[in-house]
Amino acid sequence: MLVWVSVLGAGMLESHIRLARSAGFAVVEALPKPLSGVALRYVVELALALGKPRRRAGADDALPDINDDDLLRAICDVDEFDVWYCPQVAPENLRMAAAAAEVHWNHPRFRKLRPERFMALIEQQGLGLVLFYRTANHVLRMQQKLKAAGHCLPCSIKASAQTLQTPEIADYLADRVRQHQLSPEQVSIVLTGTGAPVRQVHLSASLNRLRIKGFGLLLNGFGAGSANISMLSEMPFTGIHIDAGLIGQVPRHGLARSMVDGILGIGARLGLEVVACGVDDMETSEAMRKLGCRLVQGAVSPPMKASEFLRTVRRATGASSCDRRLPA
């Protein structure tokens, strides 16, 4: 752990934070002078928390060897493939307004594998399209059950650029939505990191077809990596997911707060749906509320198994009725 204390401005402090992380420090904080009691108490509590037993970051890398048969079975076997739902909630009252599908591997040896790592392994084996179709069908069945109970909750599904460049994906999804007697506006596709090289013209054509058919398109991890202004301007996105790493710095770092404020402003001016990811505590949720963010996602409202999610939405008095749509 490194705590940087200086009279330098916020920009220099946060530059040093990034430098320290690049150098290998797992936990870095910067405190401006003069020191405040609140700031000192925060770093002391953080240091104490670091001394407690905790799961090592990247621990799933030490899992038993995973072979091709394991991965194929993971997305084809009813008992092993599972979809959880991450609530997207209003920061002021944690009322659910939408949800994001999250794939899990229900296997005694591999169930601790993080969802994003599971997806990456599937992509490496060329099974991304199979995974996407299975996830989409799970989501549509869930929405059909919610509709029968009088609720319509928008839900997003993650997919890589490699998967989304598939020409027939828009037609397949439109047909499945029609068969379930649902509306395309209830489904959004979230473009994740590009991963393997893609043919840009194929990706652009596929995304445009999805938009023509009425599906929402969101750019994942905005504010980091390739999810930038250039990509946002080139593709027909209807929303963005702000990068979790950036969101996590908002409560204590002015530069990150200003950057997120700017992203929210861009979203408002372009009429985009903006979701702040990685909101893991009420302090961050409150910071996002003050910035005017309307939807947050993270440990502040943890992912739920499908059965629990269905019960939660059915009980919630604030869930959207079927004649309402979530405003952009």
Side-chain angles (χ1 to χ4, degrees):
M1 178 178 180
L2 174 67
V3 180
W4 183 274
V5 184
S6 176
V7 295
L8 298 175
M12 284 298 297
L13 287 175
E14 287 161 31
S15 177
H16 277 76
I17 288 176
R18 290 190 293 272
L19 177 61
R21 285 177 178 155
S22 299
F25 284 92
V27 180
V28 188
E29 286 295 333
L31 303 181
K33 291 183 178 180
L35 293 172
S36 69
V38 172
L40 283 172
R41 184 161 54 250
Y42 166 75
V43 294
V44 169
E45 290 174 353
L46 180 60
L48 292 173
L50 289 174
K52 297 178 181 178
R54 61 193 180 99
R55 180 179 177 274
R56 181 174 60 85
D60 56 19
D61 293 335
L63 287 167
D65 290 338
I66 301 171
N67 59 44
D68 294 356
D69 290 339
D70 290 329
L71 292 170
L72 184 60
R73 192 177 63 250
I75 57 175
C76 294
D77 191 299
V78 174
D79 294 326
E80 292 195 17
F81 176 81
D82 202 4
V83 176
W84 290 38
Y85 291 85
C86 305
Q88 294 175 345
V89 300
E92 63 271 12
N93 55 19
L94 303 188
R95 179 174 293 175
M96 196 187 315
E102 183 178 84
V103 292
H104 283 248
W105 193 350
N106 186 26
H107 187 285
R109 285 196 302 160
F110 308 127
R111 60 166 49 107
K112 290 184 179 179
L113 196 70
R114 291 175 288 116
E116 57 271 24
R117 178 67 176 147
F118 177 40
M119 285 190 68
L121 287 171
I122 294 292
E123 290 283 350
Q124 288 171 16
Q125 297 302 318
L127 297 170
L129 187 62
V130 179
L131 179 66
F132 176 78
Y133 284 163
R134 285 222 60 189
T135 307
N137 284 317
H138 195 288
V139 167
L140 294 176
R141 287 194 297 271
M142 173 62 72
Q143 289 183 317
Q144 196 173 43
K145 293 175 182 177
L146 291 174
K147 182 179 178 181
H151 299 294
C152 285
L153 201 70
C155 190
S156 58
I157 306 167
K158 286 185 177 180
S160 70
Q162 186 180 16
T163 295
L164 290 177
Q165 70 177 344
T166 307
E168 67 270 15
I169 202 167
D171 289 332
Y172 175 88
L173 203 54
D175 288 342
R176 297 299 293 162
V177 166
R178 192 160 44 247
Q179 290 169 17
H180 285 80
Q181 298 182 321
L182 297 168
S183 169
E185 287 82 6
Q186 294 173 242
V187 181
S188 291
I189 312 302
V190 182
L191 175 63
T192 64
T194 54
V198 299
R199 297 189 65 175
Q200 202 68 17
V201 65
H202 288 188
L203 176 62
S204 181
S206 183
L207 294 183
N208 275 282
R209 283 180 57 77
L210 284 165
R211 282 297 300 125
I212 289 170
K213 291 182 179 296
F215 297 102
L217 289 175
L218 294 99
L219 182 57
N220 191 56
F222 191 81
S226 60
N228 52 38
I229 291 289
S230 177
M231 179 172 280
L232 186 64
S233 65
E234 293 170 0
M235 304 285 188
F237 291 106
T238 60
I240 51 179
H241 284 188
I242 306 179
D243 178 65
L246 186 58
I247 294 296
Q249 299 179 52
V250 165
R252 285 168 294 279
H253 302 302
L255 183 58
R257 189 160 51 249
S258 296
M259 292 173 66
V260 171
D261 188 35
I263 292 173
L264 290 169
I266 291 172
R269 285 190 290 274
L270 297 180
L272 301 174
E273 175 187 323
V274 181
V275 182
C277 297
V279 177
D280 295 335
D281 51 61
M282 290 307 299
E283 180 187 15
T284 308
S285 182
E286 175 62 13
M288 296 311 302
R289 183 195 67 78
K290 290 180 177 178
L291 289 174
C293 183
R294 298 177 57 193
L295 283 180
V296 301
Q297 176 184 322
V300 71
S301 186
M304 292 180 270
K305 291 184 177 181
S307 55
E308 181 187 358
F309 175 74
L310 185 59
R311 287 194 300 270
T312 299
V313 176
R314 282 173 170 170
R315 289 197 306 262
T317 57
S320 300
S321 63
C322 285
D323 59 352
R324 294 177 60 193
R325 288 176 53 193
L326 181 69

